[in-house]
């Protein structure tokens, strides 16, 4: 883990980097601000972020309309203290000294905003717990 003077860094990984990992990264950035370094990536990134995910986050006052799915790189994993996977299976590289969490969440791909809202709310709850743990407000 980082020293008290360093910001913890978190990488969220899912297959397409178009839904779950985008929501998690957006909530962590929104809730922790500059206290945490945030990355997201996908093992097989989609062309665009899921429009229902963009809409569901907009309902919470978070705009991710300019986000673009990014490919998972070894460098992104190496640069992160905590790697949170969301259904990317064995495609996520594993390095010693990193903390790995696997969040089992339904995939919002192909779902309407009604189906995305409960996933969004679950992710928000998990992120709030993570913020309390790794970057509590002073």
């Amino acid at each position: 883990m980082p020293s008290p003077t360093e910001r913890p860094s978190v990488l969220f990984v899912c297959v397409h980097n178009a839904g779950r990992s985008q929501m998690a990264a957006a909530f962590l950035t929104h809730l922790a601000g500059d206290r945490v370094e945030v990355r997201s990536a996908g093992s097989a990134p989609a062309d665009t972020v899921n429009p229902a995910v963009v809409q569901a986050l907009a309902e919470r006052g978070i705009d991710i309309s300019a986000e673009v799915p990014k490919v998972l790189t070894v460098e992104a994993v190496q640069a992160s203290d905590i790697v949170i996977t969301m259904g990317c299976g064995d495609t996520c590289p594993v390095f010693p000294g990193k903390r790995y969490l696997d969040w089992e969440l339904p995939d919002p791909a192909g779902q309407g905003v009604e189906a995305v809202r409960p996933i969004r709310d679950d992710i928000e709850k998990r992120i709030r717990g993570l913020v309390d743990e790794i970057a509590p407000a002073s």
Side-chain angles (χ1 to χ4, degrees):
M1 291 306 293
S3 73
T5 57
E6 293 176 334
R7 296 187 307 164
S9 59
V10 179
L11 170 64
F12 296 100
V13 182
C14 66
V15 176
H16 301 298
N17 189 222
R20 295 165 289 189
S21 56
Q22 289 282 353
M23 285 192 281
F27 271 122
L28 185 53
T29 300
H30 181 73
L31 296 169
D34 58 4
R35 299 192 314 271
V36 178
E37 188 176 351
V38 181
R39 299 178 182 86
S40 72
S43 51
D47 293 329
T48 59
V49 174
N50 180 333
V53 166
V54 173
Q55 182 182 344
L57 283 174
E59 293 173 358
R60 286 285 203 271
I62 301 172
D63 179 9
I64 64 162
S65 60
E67 292 296 326
V68 178
K70 294 167 279 305
V71 68
L72 177 64
T73 64
V74 169
E75 294 77 21
V77 177
Q78 288 174 322
S80 301
D81 300 309
I82 301 170
V83 179
I84 299 177
T85 59
M86 304 170 175
C88 68
D90 298 332
T91 61
C92 297
V94 175
F95 293 96
K98 305 291 176 196
R99 178 176 170 198
Y100 288 87
L101 300 172
D102 185 45
W103 290 357
E104 290 190 26
L105 295 159
D107 189 346
Q111 303 289 321
V113 72
E114 298 78 19
V116 172
R117 285 183 187 119
I119 303 168
R120 171 201 65 196
D121 295 345
D122 187 358
I123 290 172
E124 180 180 14
K125 186 179 82 182
R126 293 171 189 242
I127 293 297
R128 287 185 182 281
L130 183 68
V131 169
D132 289 345
E133 178 190 339
I134 68 169
S138 40

